[in-house]
Amino acid sequence: MFDFSISILISNPLINVAVVSWCAAQILKTSIHLFKHGEFKKERLSGAGGMPSSHSAVTCSVLLTSYLIYGFSSPIFAMAFVLALIVMYDATGVRWAAGLHAKAINYIVEYLGDENTKDKDQLKEMIPKLNESLGHRMIEVVCGALLGFVISLIGYFCF
């Protein structure tokens, strides 16, 4: 039988930097939204999209930590490198396009619903408002990556 202990999670530096990076990025994202728009949106604490990219922060913190602990030639570093590339490419490509599609669909639903209130209610039942903030601009990915690198360095050299 497998004996699971929380100490297994706490003792793994790759998991630690990933969790700290995700939390830091989400808190920064929420703070930036609060500063820019003057409103606190609790959805920003766990939502995708926005500045900085939490996905990039997580994957880059794991990438650098795996390099610092295991070295360039380790399979763990190689997997972290490939994963970081895929995640960041996806964030600026596929997920960004999906956000644009959601924005267009939301606009179409509003436009078609304006003509007839009954139709608007039917449309909203069929197609709820879609999340438009799915992907990232390149600057958001770069800032997320830098945040992940900084947290990785702090974790490695200070703890």
Side-chain angles (χ1 to χ4, degrees):
M1 180 181 238
F2 181 70
D3 183 28
F4 180 78
S5 172
I6 195 74
S7 64
I8 292 171
L9 292 177
I10 296 171
S11 66
N12 188 320
L14 297 176
I15 293 173
N16 293 343
V17 296
V19 170
V20 170
S21 295
W22 183 83
C23 290
Q26 293 304 120
I27 289 169
L28 273 171
K29 194 180 296 194
T30 305
S31 301
I32 290 170
H33 185 273
L34 175 64
F35 180 74
K36 254 176 107 171
H37 302 285
E39 68 173 331
F40 175 77
K41 287 184 82 172
K42 69 178 181 177
E43 297 84 29
R44 297 305 313 145
L45 287 170
S46 62
M51 169 72 94
S53 165
S54 56
H55 291 85
S56 297
V58 167
T59 56
C60 287
S61 67
V62 171
L63 171 69
L64 184 56
T65 302
S66 67
Y67 169 75
L68 293 170
I69 294 173
Y70 304 109
F72 182 77
S73 61
S74 77
I76 293 171
F77 173 76
M79 289 297 294
F81 180 79
V82 170
L83 178 66
L85 288 179
I86 291 169
V87 166
M88 290 186 286
Y89 174 80
D90 180 65
T92 58
V94 177
R95 285 181 36 232
W96 180 257
L100 294 176
H101 293 153
K103 189 174 190 174
I105 291 168
N106 287 339
Y107 176 80
I108 291 167
V109 168
E110 284 299 315
Y111 175 79
L112 293 175
D114 283 344
E115 298 194 9
N116 185 333
T117 307
K118 182 181 174 211
D119 290 341
K120 185 175 186 175
D121 293 338
Q122 275 183 320
L123 277 171
K124 289 200 181 225
E125 282 180 31
M126 279 182 10
I127 306 171
K129 185 160 175 63
L130 301 172
N131 182 6
E132 298 173 12
S133 181
L134 298 173
H136 294 283
R137 292 187 170 95
M138 185 58 71
I139 188 70
E140 295 168 342
V141 169
V142 169
C143 288
L146 292 173
L147 175 65
F149 288 149
V150 167
I151 289 172
S152 176
L153 291 171
I154 291 169
Y156 184 76
F157 290 110
C158 296
F159 299 101

